[in-house]
Amino acid sequence: MRHISKISDLRDQLRGQNRVAFVPTMGNLHEGHLSLMRIAATHGDPVVASVFVNRLQFGPNEDFDKYPRTMADDAAKLEGENVYVMFAPTERDLYPEPQDYRITPPNDLGNTLEGEFRPGFFGGVCTVVTKLFNCVQPKVAVFGKKDYQQLMIIRRMVDQMSMPIEIIAAPTVRDPDGLAMSSRNRYLSAEDRAEAPHLYRLLNELSKEVQSARPNGEQLLQLQAKYLATLQERGWKPDYFEARRQVDLMRPTEEDLSNQTPLVILAAAKLGQTRLIDNLEIE
Ligand code: PAF
């Protein structure tokens, strides 16, 4: 595996490759990321992974400085997955001057759910992903469904900006107790780690209630409020716990609910100092 930090070296290394499968990451790789590498390998060749903690997607009070940086460990894991290039630019390599040109997702998709609680987050994600796509020029790129809204926003961006890249959605990888794998899980205290799988358990419970009760709009709001209250009672600080339409993440209309339009329940909540997100599709 080549470990490359400069954009010009990356371009030299990838010249002539027109089936590159790309996996962007912020490092601190776990089994969830490695599953993305394996999926990438089934869609293209060679596999290129990036490791870059992107300042632009962190709010002023978020964890940019303490975000875990584990480059040597990440390199060893990528080597084990037969990744061809680990592209790990420094901030100066990727942002040699202030990034004044930005990609801003549309309001309806970019400023709801995660976007409401992390203003500017998706603009930062879209800007860095566009830059990384321009550097790597992949044929396909793989994103995890764990970051459901991010996946949808990237798909729309690629489509609307006519980027010639196929976006592959990868299933969420979970610990045996159901907790979705995330680099931020390492912040959890032992007590919080024991509590954390409840987020997924509650997603499953709401999913079952929606499937069996077939609620109307008012009843769905009541159900969601019940789950928010349950999280609060268990010591979480929830931001949202909401069923949305899979197709566009809009709130389901009465018609959607009676027609059983595919929904996804998305949740974000803080446990101690750690903010966790998860989601579950209801078919
Ligand atoms: O999902 C992530 O790890 C990041 O948002 C991404 C896509 C690598 C952009 O920095």
Side-chain angles (χ1 to χ4, degrees):
M1 183 179 79
R2 294 287 312 274
H3 179 162
I4 294 178
S5 60
K6 296 209 171 340
I7 297 172
S8 54
D9 291 345
L10 179 74
R11 293 211 165 112
D12 286 346
Q13 186 69 30
L14 295 181
R15 189 154 297 123
Q17 300 281 7
N18 54 15
R19 292 187 58 239
V20 171
F22 177 47
V23 185
T25 80
M26 296 207 301
N28 194 237
L29 304 179
H30 49 67
E31 192 51 38
H33 294 109
L34 302 186
S35 77
L36 304 183
M37 307 300 156
R38 288 169 211 143
I39 290 172
T42 67
H43 289 273
D45 179 39
V47 174
V48 173
S50 64
V51 174
F52 181 69
V53 183
N54 173 38
R55 186 186 290 276
L56 297 191
Q57 70 191 71
F58 288 79
N61 300 320
E62 293 185 351
D63 55 346
F64 175 76
D65 288 329
K66 74 167 194 164
Y67 198 85
R69 288 153 172 92
T70 50
M71 195 64 84
D73 193 40
D74 293 345
K77 287 179 176 158
L78 293 177
E79 188 94 54
E81 296 298 329
N82 294 321
V83 167
Y84 179 60
V85 169
M86 171 170 106
F87 178 46
T90 63
E91 271 201 63
R92 279 188 67 78
D93 290 316
L94 209 59
Y95 298 129
E97 47 188 279
Q99 185 68 35
D100 296 328
Y101 284 68
R102 305 272 180 117
I103 306 277
T104 308
N107 243 328
D108 57 351
L109 205 51
N111 291 339
T112 187
L113 300 166
E114 281 302 279
E116 182 183 337
F117 291 92
R118 302 186 67 189
F121 171 66
F122 288 118
V125 169
C126 287
T127 302
V128 80
V129 168
T130 299
K131 285 191 78 137
L132 293 168
F133 282 174
N134 286 337
C135 297
V136 177
Q137 302 196 6
K139 176 179 156 275
V140 300
V142 185
F143 290 83
K145 278 190 176 186
K146 155 96 178 5
D147 297 295
Y148 203 89
Q149 190 176 7
Q150 166 174 283
L151 166 68
M152 175 157 295
I153 285 177
I154 299 290
R155 267 193 198 293
R156 289 279 170 86
M157 175 182 83
V158 162
D159 189 38
Q160 290 221 341
M161 304 305 271
S162 308
M163 298 176 176
I165 302 168
E166 186 189 350
I167 303 297
I168 311 287
T172 302
V173 179
R174 299 182 180 279
D175 283 340
D177 60 8
L179 177 64
M181 289 193 183
S182 162
S183 301
R184 290 189 169 100
N185 291 354
R186 61 152 57 190
Y187 300 152
L188 293 165
S189 66
E191 195 188 335
D192 290 343
R193 175 63 190 80
E195 170 62 23
H198 276 95
L199 191 61
Y200 185 53
R201 258 171 237 156
L202 293 173
L203 285 171
N204 275 288
E205 283 176 27
L206 176 57
S207 164
K208 281 188 199 121
E209 284 209 68
V210 170
Q211 275 166 318
S212 63
R214 303 215 186 148
N216 62 25
E218 186 53 41
Q219 290 162 335
L220 179 62
L221 288 178
Q222 284 166 11
L223 279 175
Q224 291 172 176
K226 181 177 91 176
Y227 282 88
L228 279 174
T230 305
L231 278 169
Q232 275 160 345
E233 280 156 21
R234 299 190 66 92
W236 296 69
K237 289 199 186 75
D239 286 340
Y240 56 84
F241 197 100
E242 271 194 57
R244 296 286 184 103
R245 298 199 302 216
Q246 283 183 25
V247 66
D248 56 8
L249 295 189
M250 294 296 105
R251 292 193 170 85
T253 61
E254 294 294 347
E255 208 184 335
D256 290 324
L257 292 170
S258 55
N259 293 345
Q260 296 189 52
T261 299
L263 302 178
V264 51
I265 313 170
L266 302 113
K270 240 177 152 184
L271 191 55
Q273 292 309 304
T274 312
R275 188 170 179 278
L276 300 178
I277 65 170
D278 203 350
N279 63 78
L280 185 64
E281 288 174 325
I282 315 178
E283 298 304 337

